[in-house]
PDB file of all heavy atoms in Angstrom:
ATOM      1  N   PRO J 349      -8.290   4.698   2.916  1.00 92.00           N
ATOM      2  CA  PRO J 349      -8.721   6.091   2.317  1.00 92.00           C
ATOM      3  C   PRO J 349      -8.435   7.096   3.404  1.00 92.00           C
ATOM      4  O   PRO J 349      -8.299   6.916   4.597  1.00 92.00           O
ATOM      5  CB  PRO J 349     -10.255   5.820   2.144  1.00 92.00           C
ATOM      6  CG  PRO J 349     -10.597   4.772   3.129  1.00 92.00           C
ATOM      7  CD  PRO J 349      -9.481   3.852   3.137  1.00 92.00           C
ATOM      8  N   ASP J 350      -8.140   8.344   2.741  1.00 90.00           N
ATOM      9  CA  ASP J 350      -7.927   9.520   3.616  1.00 90.00           C
ATOM     10  C   ASP J 350      -9.217   9.884   4.438  1.00 90.00           C
ATOM     11  O   ASP J 350     -10.263  10.045   3.843  1.00 90.00           O
ATOM     12  CB  ASP J 350      -7.479  10.626   2.703  1.00 90.00           C
ATOM     13  CG  ASP J 350      -7.229  11.954   3.574  1.00 90.00           C
ATOM     14  OD1 ASP J 350      -7.461  11.979   4.789  1.00 90.00           O
ATOM     15  OD2 ASP J 350      -6.512  12.816   2.890  1.00 90.00           O
ATOM     16  N   PRO J 351      -9.169   9.734   5.757  1.00 90.00           N
ATOM     17  CA  PRO J 351     -10.328  10.059   6.634  1.00 90.00           C
ATOM     18  C   PRO J 351     -10.849  11.423   6.448  1.00 90.00           C
ATOM     19  O   PRO J 351     -12.133  11.611   6.851  1.00 90.00           O
ATOM     20  CB  PRO J 351      -9.852   9.720   8.071  1.00 90.00           C
ATOM     21  CG  PRO J 351      -8.391   9.912   7.981  1.00 90.00           C
ATOM     22  CD  PRO J 351      -7.938   9.556   6.609  1.00 90.00           C
ATOM     23  N   SER J 352     -10.118  12.370   5.950  1.00 89.00           N
ATOM     24  CA  SER J 352     -10.522  13.774   5.915  1.00 89.00           C
ATOM     25  C   SER J 352     -11.367  14.000   4.507  1.00 89.00           C
ATOM     26  O   SER J 352     -11.939  15.084   4.484  1.00 89.00           O
ATOM     27  CB  SER J 352      -9.241  14.721   5.864  1.00 89.00           C
ATOM     28  OG  SER J 352      -8.509  14.536   4.724  1.00 89.00           O
ATOM     29  N   VAL J 353     -11.468  13.091   3.735  1.00 89.00           N
ATOM     30  CA  VAL J 353     -12.274  13.270   2.533  1.00 89.00           C
ATOM     31  C   VAL J 353     -13.028  11.983   2.311  1.00 89.00           C
ATOM     32  O   VAL J 353     -12.802  10.981   3.004  1.00 89.00           O
ATOM     33  CB  VAL J 353     -11.362  13.519   1.319  1.00 89.00           C
ATOM     34  CG1 VAL J 353     -10.485  14.785   1.407  1.00 89.00           C
ATOM     35  CG2 VAL J 353     -10.441  12.349   0.923  1.00 89.00           C
ATOM     36  N   SER J 354     -13.865  12.042   1.375  1.00 91.00           N
ATOM     37  CA  SER J 354     -14.781  10.762   1.100  1.00 91.00           C
ATOM     38  C   SER J 354     -13.893   9.792   0.286  1.00 91.00           C
ATOM     39  O   SER J 354     -12.820  10.046  -0.179  1.00 91.00           O
ATOM     40  CB  SER J 354     -15.951  11.206   0.243  1.00 91.00           C
ATOM     41  OG  SER J 354     -15.492  11.577  -1.079  1.00 91.00           O
ATOM     42  N   TYR J 355     -14.492   8.499   0.483  1.00 93.00           N
ATOM     43  CA  TYR J 355     -13.780   7.411  -0.219  1.00 93.00           C
ATOM     44  C   TYR J 355     -13.776   7.755  -1.826  1.00 93.00           C
ATOM     45  O   TYR J 355     -12.772   7.404  -2.360  1.00 93.00           O
ATOM     46  CB  TYR J 355     -14.462   6.041  -0.084  1.00 93.00           C
ATOM     47  CG  TYR J 355     -13.735   4.966  -0.545  1.00 93.00           C
ATOM     48  CD1 TYR J 355     -12.513   4.396  -0.057  1.00 93.00           C
ATOM     49  CD2 TYR J 355     -14.150   4.336  -1.724  1.00 93.00           C
ATOM     50  CE1 TYR J 355     -11.945   3.337  -0.654  1.00 93.00           C
ATOM     51  CE2 TYR J 355     -13.529   3.275  -2.363  1.00 93.00           C
ATOM     52  CZ  TYR J 355     -12.329   2.797  -1.737  1.00 93.00           C
ATOM     53  OH  TYR J 355     -11.645   1.642  -2.306  1.00 93.00           O
ATOM     54  N   GLU J 356     -14.840   8.265  -2.287  1.00 93.00           N
ATOM     55  CA  GLU J 356     -14.885   8.514  -3.663  1.00 93.00           C
ATOM     56  C   GLU J 356     -13.747   9.537  -4.133  1.00 93.00           C
ATOM     57  O   GLU J 356     -13.150   9.460  -5.218  1.00 93.00           O
ATOM     58  CB  GLU J 356     -16.258   9.142  -4.040  1.00 93.00           C
ATOM     59  CG  GLU J 356     -17.377   8.137  -4.038  1.00 93.00           C
ATOM     60  CD  GLU J 356     -17.707   7.745  -2.609  1.00 93.00           C
ATOM     61  OE1 GLU J 356     -17.337   8.545  -1.666  1.00 93.00           O
ATOM     62  OE2 GLU J 356     -18.449   6.655  -2.431  1.00 93.00           O
ATOM     63  N   GLU J 357     -13.512  10.515  -3.145  1.00 93.00           N
ATOM     64  CA  GLU J 357     -12.403  11.464  -3.541  1.00 93.00           C
ATOM     65  C   GLU J 357     -11.066  10.875  -3.413  1.00 93.00           C
ATOM     66  O   GLU J 357     -10.206  11.173  -4.326  1.00 93.00           O
ATOM     67  CB  GLU J 357     -12.642  12.692  -2.644  1.00 93.00           C
ATOM     68  CG  GLU J 357     -11.556  13.795  -2.902  1.00 93.00           C
ATOM     69  CD  GLU J 357     -11.785  15.161  -2.183  1.00 93.00           C
ATOM     70  OE1 GLU J 357     -12.933  15.295  -1.586  1.00 93.00           O
ATOM     71  OE2 GLU J 357     -10.957  15.940  -2.265  1.00 93.00           O
ATOM     72  N   THR J 358     -10.909   9.870  -2.507  1.00 95.00           N
ATOM     73  CA  THR J 358      -9.552   9.200  -2.452  1.00 95.00           C
ATOM     74  C   THR J 358      -9.325   8.559  -3.754  1.00 95.00           C
ATOM     75  O   THR J 358      -8.206   8.540  -4.357  1.00 95.00           O
ATOM     76  CB  THR J 358      -9.548   8.294  -1.343  1.00 95.00           C
ATOM     77  OG1 THR J 358      -9.712   8.971  -0.043  1.00 95.00           O
ATOM     78  CG2 THR J 358      -8.256   7.439  -1.293  1.00 95.00           C
ATOM     79  N   VAL J 359     -10.303   7.864  -4.241  1.00 95.00           N
ATOM     80  CA  VAL J 359     -10.236   7.064  -5.534  1.00 95.00           C
ATOM     81  C   VAL J 359      -9.981   7.925  -6.609  1.00 95.00           C
ATOM     82  O   VAL J 359      -9.209   7.647  -7.457  1.00 95.00           O
ATOM     83  CB  VAL J 359     -11.603   6.250  -5.719  1.00 95.00           C
ATOM     84  CG1 VAL J 359     -11.567   5.584  -7.099  1.00 95.00           C
ATOM     85  CG2 VAL J 359     -11.829   5.193  -4.657  1.00 95.00           C
ATOM     86  N   SER J 360     -10.653   9.112  -6.730  1.00 95.00           N
ATOM     87  CA  SER J 360     -10.480  10.016  -7.803  1.00 95.00           C
ATOM     88  C   SER J 360      -9.041  10.584  -7.862  1.00 95.00           C
ATOM     89  O   SER J 360      -8.391  10.653  -8.863  1.00 95.00           O
ATOM     90  CB  SER J 360     -11.515  11.156  -7.618  1.00 95.00           C
ATOM     91  OG  SER J 360     -11.282  12.138  -8.626  1.00 95.00           O
ATOM     92  N   ARG J 361      -8.499  10.857  -6.622  1.00 95.00           N
ATOM     93  CA  ARG J 361      -7.147  11.411  -6.568  1.00 95.00           C
ATOM     94  C   ARG J 361      -6.052  10.359  -7.001  1.00 95.00           C
ATOM     95  O   ARG J 361      -5.126  10.701  -7.692  1.00 95.00           O
ATOM     96  CB  ARG J 361      -6.812  11.879  -5.121  1.00 95.00           C
ATOM     97  CG  ARG J 361      -7.629  13.100  -4.738  1.00 95.00           C
ATOM     98  CD  ARG J 361      -7.274  13.516  -3.299  1.00 95.00           C
ATOM     99  NE  ARG J 361      -7.933  14.703  -2.881  1.00 95.00           N
ATOM    100  CZ  ARG J 361      -7.745  15.453  -1.811  1.00 95.00           C
ATOM    101  NH1 ARG J 361      -6.986  14.791  -0.881  1.00 95.00           N
ATOM    102  NH2 ARG J 361      -8.430  16.465  -1.470  1.00 95.00           N
ATOM    103  N   ILE J 362      -6.225   9.158  -6.445  1.00 96.00           N
ATOM    104  CA  ILE J 362      -5.157   8.134  -6.918  1.00 96.00           C
ATOM    105  C   ILE J 362      -5.310   7.641  -8.309  1.00 96.00           C
ATOM    106  O   ILE J 362      -4.258   7.604  -8.982  1.00 96.00           O
ATOM    107  CB  ILE J 362      -5.221   6.943  -5.833  1.00 96.00           C
ATOM    108  CG1 ILE J 362      -3.927   6.037  -6.137  1.00 96.00           C
ATOM    109  CG2 ILE J 362      -6.448   6.079  -6.082  1.00 96.00           C
ATOM    110  CD1 ILE J 362      -3.764   5.003  -5.088  1.00 96.00           C
ATOM    111  N   VAL J 363      -6.510   7.479  -8.809  1.00 96.00           N
ATOM    112  CA  VAL J 363      -6.653   7.143 -10.228  1.00 96.00           C
ATOM    113  C   VAL J 363      -6.293   8.333 -11.125  1.00 96.00           C
ATOM    114  O   VAL J 363      -5.490   7.990 -12.098  1.00 96.00           O
ATOM    115  CB  VAL J 363      -8.061   6.661 -10.380  1.00 96.00           C
ATOM    116  CG1 VAL J 363      -8.353   6.394 -11.945  1.00 96.00           C
ATOM    117  CG2 VAL J 363      -8.456   5.489  -9.619  1.00 96.00           C
ATOM    118  N   GLY J 364      -6.617   9.423 -10.787  1.00 95.00           N
ATOM    119  CA  GLY J 364      -6.187  10.632 -11.542  1.00 95.00           C
ATOM    120  C   GLY J 364      -4.724  10.878 -11.564  1.00 95.00           C
ATOM    121  O   GLY J 364      -4.194  11.550 -12.417  1.00 95.00           O
ATOM    122  N   SER J 365      -4.081  10.456 -10.514  1.00 95.00           N
ATOM    123  CA  SER J 365      -2.623  10.806 -10.254  1.00 95.00           C
ATOM    124  C   SER J 365      -1.626   9.740 -10.912  1.00 95.00           C
ATOM    125  O   SER J 365      -0.605  10.127 -11.300  1.00 95.00           O
ATOM    126  CB  SER J 365      -2.325  11.001  -8.754  1.00 95.00           C
ATOM    127  OG  SER J 365      -3.093  12.028  -8.248  1.00 95.00           O
ATOM    128  N   ILE J 366      -2.017   8.423 -10.878  1.00 96.00           N
ATOM    129  CA  ILE J 366      -1.060   7.427 -11.193  1.00 96.00           C
ATOM    130  C   ILE J 366      -1.427   6.817 -12.624  1.00 96.00           C
ATOM    131  O   ILE J 366      -2.412   6.188 -12.703  1.00 96.00           O
ATOM    132  CB  ILE J 366      -0.930   6.233 -10.186  1.00 96.00           C
ATOM    133  CG1 ILE J 366      -0.614   6.894  -8.661  1.00 96.00           C
ATOM    134  CG2 ILE J 366      -0.041   5.277 -10.595  1.00 96.00           C
ATOM    135  CD1 ILE J 366      -0.556   5.867  -7.577  1.00 96.00           C
ATOM    136  N   ALA J 367      -0.624   7.232 -13.578  1.00 93.00           N
ATOM    137  CA  ALA J 367      -1.010   7.005 -14.900  1.00 93.00           C
ATOM    138  C   ALA J 367      -1.279   5.433 -15.283  1.00 93.00           C
ATOM    139  O   ALA J 367      -2.159   5.180 -15.945  1.00 93.00           O
ATOM    140  CB  ALA J 367       0.027   7.478 -15.964  1.00 93.00           C
ATOM    141  N   GLY J 368      -0.405   4.535 -14.760  1.00 93.00           N
ATOM    142  CA  GLY J 368      -0.549   3.182 -15.065  1.00 93.00           C
ATOM    143  C   GLY J 368      -1.386   2.368 -14.140  1.00 93.00           C
ATOM    144  O   GLY J 368      -1.495   1.110 -14.288  1.00 93.00           O
ATOM    145  N   LEU J 369      -2.003   2.956 -13.117  1.00 96.00           N
ATOM    146  CA  LEU J 369      -2.797   2.135 -12.186  1.00 96.00           C
ATOM    147  C   LEU J 369      -3.974   1.439 -12.792  1.00 96.00           C
ATOM    148  O   LEU J 369      -4.809   1.903 -13.617  1.00 96.00           O
ATOM    149  CB  LEU J 369      -3.337   3.085 -11.087  1.00 96.00           C
ATOM    150  CG  LEU J 369      -3.702   2.463  -9.735  1.00 96.00           C
ATOM    151  CD1 LEU J 369      -2.460   1.947  -9.034  1.00 96.00           C
ATOM    152  CD2 LEU J 369      -4.393   3.516  -8.880  1.00 96.00           C
ATOM    153  N   ARG J 370      -4.101   0.040 -12.558  1.00 97.00           N
ATOM    154  CA  ARG J 370      -5.106  -0.753 -12.986  1.00 97.00           C
ATOM    155  C   ARG J 370      -6.028  -1.277 -11.939  1.00 97.00           C
ATOM    156  O   ARG J 370      -7.233  -1.557 -12.233  1.00 97.00           O
ATOM    157  CB  ARG J 370      -4.420  -1.953 -13.674  1.00 97.00           C
ATOM    158  CG  ARG J 370      -3.577  -1.654 -14.863  1.00 97.00           C
ATOM    159  CD  ARG J 370      -4.500  -1.148 -16.044  1.00 97.00           C
ATOM    160  NE  ARG J 370      -3.623  -0.703 -17.291  1.00 97.00           N
ATOM    161  CZ  ARG J 370      -3.188   0.527 -17.309  1.00 97.00           C
ATOM    162  NH1 ARG J 370      -3.579   1.469 -16.541  1.00 97.00           N
ATOM    163  NH2 ARG J 370      -2.467   0.904 -18.420  1.00 97.00           N
ATOM    164  N   MET J 371      -5.536  -1.312 -10.746  1.00 97.00           N
ATOM    165  CA  MET J 371      -6.442  -1.794  -9.604  1.00 97.00           C
ATOM    166  C   MET J 371      -6.147  -0.953  -8.390  1.00 97.00           C
ATOM    167  O   MET J 371      -5.003  -0.646  -8.129  1.00 97.00           O
ATOM    168  CB  MET J 371      -6.271  -3.231  -9.331  1.00 97.00           C
ATOM    169  CG  MET J 371      -6.626  -4.114 -10.431  1.00 97.00           C
ATOM    170  SD  MET J 371      -6.673  -5.938  -9.946  1.00 97.00           S
ATOM    171  CE  MET J 371      -8.037  -5.968  -8.719  1.00 97.00           C
ATOM    172  N   PHE J 372      -7.170  -0.532  -7.645  1.00 97.00           N
ATOM    173  CA  PHE J 372      -7.039   0.170  -6.326  1.00 97.00           C
ATOM    174  C   PHE J 372      -7.961  -0.606  -5.330  1.00 97.00           C
ATOM    175  O   PHE J 372      -9.141  -0.799  -5.516  1.00 97.00           O
ATOM    176  CB  PHE J 372      -7.529   1.615  -6.446  1.00 97.00           C
ATOM    177  CG  PHE J 372      -7.528   2.369  -5.090  1.00 97.00           C
ATOM    178  CD1 PHE J 372      -6.230   2.450  -4.462  1.00 97.00           C
ATOM    179  CD2 PHE J 372      -8.569   2.893  -4.624  1.00 97.00           C
ATOM    180  CE1 PHE J 372      -6.338   2.975  -3.173  1.00 97.00           C
ATOM    181  CE2 PHE J 372      -8.616   3.634  -3.509  1.00 97.00           C
ATOM    182  CZ  PHE J 372      -7.466   3.692  -2.772  1.00 97.00           C
ATOM    183  N   ASN J 373      -7.236  -1.022  -4.174  1.00 96.00           N
ATOM    184  CA  ASN J 373      -8.068  -1.818  -3.191  1.00 96.00           C
ATOM    185  C   ASN J 373      -8.881  -2.979  -3.738  1.00 96.00           C
ATOM    186  O   ASN J 373     -10.038  -3.135  -3.456  1.00 96.00           O
ATOM    187  CB  ASN J 373      -8.897  -0.772  -2.381  1.00 96.00           C
ATOM    188  CG  ASN J 373      -8.201   0.124  -1.361  1.00 96.00           C
ATOM    189  OD1 ASN J 373      -6.909  -0.128  -1.265  1.00 96.00           O
ATOM    190  ND2 ASN J 373      -8.888   0.925  -0.824  1.00 96.00           N
ATOM    191  N   ARG J 374      -8.159  -3.604  -4.725  1.00 94.00           N
ATOM    192  CA  ARG J 374      -8.607  -4.897  -5.376  1.00 94.00           C
ATOM    193  C   ARG J 374      -9.696  -4.601  -6.345  1.00 94.00           C
ATOM    194  O   ARG J 374     -10.426  -5.542  -6.869  1.00 94.00           O
ATOM    195  CB  ARG J 374      -9.057  -5.838  -4.295  1.00 94.00           C
ATOM    196  CG  ARG J 374      -7.883  -6.316  -3.358  1.00 94.00           C
ATOM    197  CD  ARG J 374      -8.274  -7.415  -2.418  1.00 94.00           C
ATOM    198  NE  ARG J 374      -7.216  -7.762  -1.489  1.00 94.00           N
ATOM    199  CZ  ARG J 374      -6.185  -8.535  -1.765  1.00 94.00           C
ATOM    200  NH1 ARG J 374      -6.109  -9.091  -2.952  1.00 94.00           N
ATOM    201  NH2 ARG J 374      -5.183  -8.795  -0.851  1.00 94.00           N
ATOM    202  N   ALA J 375     -10.097  -3.385  -6.550  1.00 96.00           N
ATOM    203  CA  ALA J 375     -11.216  -2.967  -7.536  1.00 96.00           C
ATOM    204  C   ALA J 375     -10.543  -2.584  -8.837  1.00 96.00           C
ATOM    205  O   ALA J 375      -9.631  -1.733  -8.926  1.00 96.00           O
ATOM    206  CB  ALA J 375     -12.046  -1.924  -7.079  1.00 96.00           C
ATOM    207  N   THR J 376     -10.990  -3.111  -9.965  1.00 97.00           N
ATOM    208  CA  THR J 376     -10.491  -2.819 -11.288  1.00 97.00           C
ATOM    209  C   THR J 376     -10.875  -1.427 -11.703  1.00 97.00           C
ATOM    210  O   THR J 376     -12.012  -0.933 -11.541  1.00 97.00           O
ATOM    211  CB  THR J 376     -10.996  -3.743 -12.382  1.00 97.00           C
ATOM    212  OG1 THR J 376     -10.679  -5.151 -11.936  1.00 97.00           O
ATOM    213  CG2 THR J 376     -10.367  -3.514 -13.693  1.00 97.00           C
TER     214      THR J 376
END
Side-chain angles (χ1 to χ4, degrees):
D350 185 342
S352 66
V353 300
S354 67
Y355 183 76
E356 290 74 17
E357 186 168 345
T358 298
V359 172
S360 181
R361 288 181 179 182
I362 191 169
V363 174
S365 297
I366 304 177
L369 202 64
R370 297 290 175 266
M371 294 188 72
F372 175 58
N373 285 354
R374 301 185 184 277
T376 301

